[in-house]
Amino acid sequence: MGSFNGKFRDYYLDLNWFASIDDARSTIQQWRHHYNKEDRLVVLNGVAKSVIETQRGKHKTNVFTYRGRPVTRINNSGWKRARQIAATKYAEDHREPV
């Protein structure tokens, strides 16, 4: 949230003059829409990048889905279970302990 607030303040509140409260609301709403639709992706390594590129285009708006619906939360019980299954499969394929 800090990143959003900082960018919002830098780009809109500090740099723009508004003719009215309605003008400010309209401009802020447009900026929020743009900010939320912007492709923000931090790739840590080549494996992560390849996973993301493999998933792109499979869903109209989201990279990661489950049963056709966007993944909106991580680290819940389903995510932890899937991660454990993937780790086990990786260990079996590479003959490494989990």
Side-chain angles (χ1 to χ4, degrees), residues 59-97:
H59 188 268
K60 185 175 157 184
T61 58
N62 295 79
V63 174
F64 295 105
T65 60
Y66 177 70
R67 295 185 180 173
R69 298 179 69 190
V71 173
T72 58
R73 294 185 203 130
I74 60 170
N75 225 16
N76 59 19
S77 60
W79 184 267
K80 289 175 184 176
R81 189 170 42 254
R83 190 172 59 204
Q84 184 60 44
I85 291 168
T88 302
K89 178 156 176 34
Y90 179 89
E92 290 169 358
D93 291 349
H94 295 89
R95 294 186 168 85
E96 294 180 10

Side-chain angles (χ1 to χ4, degrees), residues 51-63:
V51 167
I52 290 169
E53 291 305 322
T54 300
Q55 292 301 115
R56 281 189 190 268
K58 291 183 177 181
H59 188 268
K60 185 175 157 184
T61 58
N62 295 79
V63 174

